Amino acid sequence: MKRAVVLLLFAFCACRRSEPPASMIGTPSRGRHLMTSYGCAACHTIPGVAGETFVGPPLTKMARRAYIAGRLPNEPEHMIDWIRAPQAIDPATAMPNLGVTERDARDMTAYLFTLR
Amino acid sequence: MTAWFLSLFAILFGLLLFAGAAVLISLTTRRDVLGAATARRLISFVAILVIADVFLVSRSDPRRLDAQPALSVIAIAHDTWWELRYPGFATANELHVPADETIAMRVVSDRRHLFMVGEGTVVRDSLFTRDTALLFRAHAGTWNGHDFSREHFALPLAIIAEPRTAFDRWSAWQRTGAAESPSNGRAVFQTARCTYCHTVRGIDVAEQRLGPDLTHLGSRATIAAGLLPNRDGYLAGWVVDAQELKPGCGMPRNAMQPQRLHALLAFLRQLR
């Protein structure tokens, strides 16, 4: 009985919104550098990338946010889709399509999911 | 020339400090390190040398460069950007010159400035003047010039010295105007009043030349006068909220409707 209770307690520890660790999505460090080359910080305040800007919403604690751009549940695949083609998800968004490749979007998403 | 002037100035300044320290010591203690009279003579001597040095440098005439320059260009230092007037066209912030040829440049500013370039390039600095003509010759490469009169920061000027053929290709391209085709973005460029400050040759002439010529915006490596890489994401952030990126610059915020913004960015992107 005691063993069952202990095992059940361990099982409850896993009860949180499940998501793969950031390193399984892509390479977070590469993603951070890509944010500089694409110019994401020209509009977004991003921890780990220089500058504070106010054109788009801040991406602080991005991994904890429930939604992307108030449109999509915040999950890695959705984030990759959003980065690559914002107008396809929200035609009225001000975020431009920067021609981000699949691999680059993956690494940038991996970085964003390290921001807790 | 810059290196000579600066090292001489450094030596003289050192002597001045030494003499000043000697005077200070003899005044505060009873001890005469140099002898007050000697110290005073030394200070006067150094002061005369400094004045003579400054006078000579500002009058110096570099005869070892060709009297006939290969190119004449006017560089006007506006508040936060450089206007560059070549024969036949104007551009901004990036000064292209043919490498290893004598260039005549007139540096103009609305206030007194000190214009300096990396060692080995500028033969004569403009010292505390508003309008100076100087001659220089640069080896191939990218050099950084700075105007040090700006209140908040040194206004950077990228000097790109390239082979004569590359330079001719660049200036022929810069001389052309923008394509005439109408587009939504072009309409936004006009209705959003960008044309008040910015010229795009072939499409509009600015009402007041308050901002850089954008005819060949895409041909420059940076935007915002050397501050940001010339890439789509940075251009978007700059157009919408230049004040956050470069506080105090002349470009206003433009939080326009997203559809208009995207059309405008598409228009700007094809100004190669």
Side-chain angles (χ1 to χ4, degrees):
Chain A
M1 182 58 192
K2 225 183 277 181
R3 210 175 297 163
V5 171
V6 169
L7 284 171
L8 206 59
L9 285 172
F10 270 117
F12 278 127
C13 290
C15 279
R16 53 193 308 200
R17 191 155 49 92
S18 67
E19 69 212 15
S23 51
M24 278 184 69
I25 305 165
T27 312
S29 56
R30 184 172 179 269
R32 186 168 67 85
H33 287 117
L34 287 170
M35 294 195 149
T36 301
S37 65
Y38 278 97
C40 309
C43 294
H44 294 282
T45 301
I46 309 170
V49 183
E52 201 183 10
T53 48
F54 303 93
V55 174
L59 305 185
T60 52
K61 303 186 200 283
M62 191 65 223
R64 297 168 70 172
R65 295 181 188 273
Y67 287 104
I68 299 169
R71 282 283 173 162
L72 282 175
N74 186 15
E75 282 158 32
E77 291 308 313
H78 289 163
M79 181 63 84
I80 291 164
D81 291 341
W82 170 258
I83 290 172
R84 297 197 69 202
Q87 274 78 29
I89 292 159
D90 181 359
T93 184
M95 172 146 156
N97 185 328
L98 298 180
V100 183
T101 62
E102 157 91 31
R103 191 191 162 203
D104 287 355
R106 205 159 269 290
D107 289 337
M108 283 152 71
T109 300
Y111 178 66
L112 290 173
F113 273 92
T114 66
L115 303 176
R116 301 208 134 263
Chain B
M1 183 58 100
T2 317
W4 281 115
F5 170 62
L6 283 179
S7 28
L8 184 61
F9 190 78
I11 292 166
L12 291 173
F13 194 69
L15 277 174
L16 198 65
L17 280 181
F18 173 67
V23 169
L24 204 64
I25 291 170
S26 64
L27 286 176
T28 52
T29 68
R30 293 284 154 79
R31 234 155 339 129
D32 256 352
V33 173
L34 274 183
T38 315
R40 280 196 295 272
R41 271 187 228 123
L42 180 60
I43 290 172
S44 328
F45 175 64
V46 168
I48 290 167
L49 275 186
V50 168
I51 292 165
D53 184 25
V54 170
F55 181 79
L56 285 173
V57 168
S58 63
R59 287 273 175 281
S60 64
D61 189 15
R63 290 195 190 284
R64 55 195 168 92
L65 288 189
D66 312 324
Q68 266 297 89
L71 171 72
S72 282
V73 63
I74 303 173
I76 302 169
H78 291 274
D79 223 28
T80 56
W81 61 284
W82 286 96
E83 178 185 351
L84 302 168
R85 294 211 204 139
Y86 287 77
F89 64 91
T91 182
N93 299 321
E94 281 185 11
L95 180 74
H96 286 242
V97 296
D100 298 315
E101 295 183 40
T102 304
I103 315 296
M105 179 161 83
R106 210 179 116 205
V107 183
V108 180
S109 175
D110 59 342
R111 62 197 77 177
R112 295 186 191 285
H113 56 245
L114 174 66
F115 179 71
M116 299 177 78
V117 188
E119 178 204 315
T121 325
V122 171
V123 176
R124 179 179 140 180
D125 306 313
S126 66
L127 276 177
F128 309 120
T129 59
R130 288 200 181 93
D131 188 332
T132 316
L134 41 93
L135 292 176
F136 71 93
R137 175 182 291 167
H139 296 309
T142 304
W143 307 91
N144 293 305
H146 287 85
D147 182 20
F148 283 107
S149 74
R150 303 299 125 193
E151 281 158 18
H152 304 298
F153 54 92
L155 183 63
L157 172 70
I159 301 175
I160 297 154
E162 48 195 3
R164 180 33 97 157
T165 45
F167 172 77
D168 286 340
R169 222 178 314 126
W170 176 85
S171 56
W173 176 243
Q174 294 291 320
R175 206 165 272 124
T176 64
E180 278 275 1
S181 56
S183 66
N184 289 339
R186 182 181 155 179
V188 174
F189 189 76
Q190 283 153 342
T191 54
R193 307 290 280 130
C194 313
T195 55
Y196 188 77
C197 304
H198 293 286
T199 294
V200 176
R201 267 175 291 119
I203 289 175
D204 88 274
V205 178
E207 288 171 49
Q208 302 210 45
R209 206 183 294 112
L210 297 173
D213 184 304
L214 299 180
T215 312
H216 296 289
L217 171 64
S219 71
R220 300 202 273 272
T222 63
I223 56 174
L227 183 71
L228 305 167
N230 188 359
R231 304 203 56 178
D232 292 351
Y234 288 105
L235 186 62
W238 174 255
V239 165
V240 174
D241 199 357
Q243 289 299 315
E244 280 300 331
L245 295 166
K246 199 173 187 182
C249 76
M251 173 116 166
R253 295 184 95 216
N254 291 293
M256 62 185 82
Q257 290 289 332
Q259 307 288 43
R260 280 163 59 84
L261 175 66
H262 297 311
L264 177 64
L265 292 173
F267 168 73
L268 293 173
R269 241 176 271 135
Q270 51 91 43
L271 296 174
R272 286 187 228 294

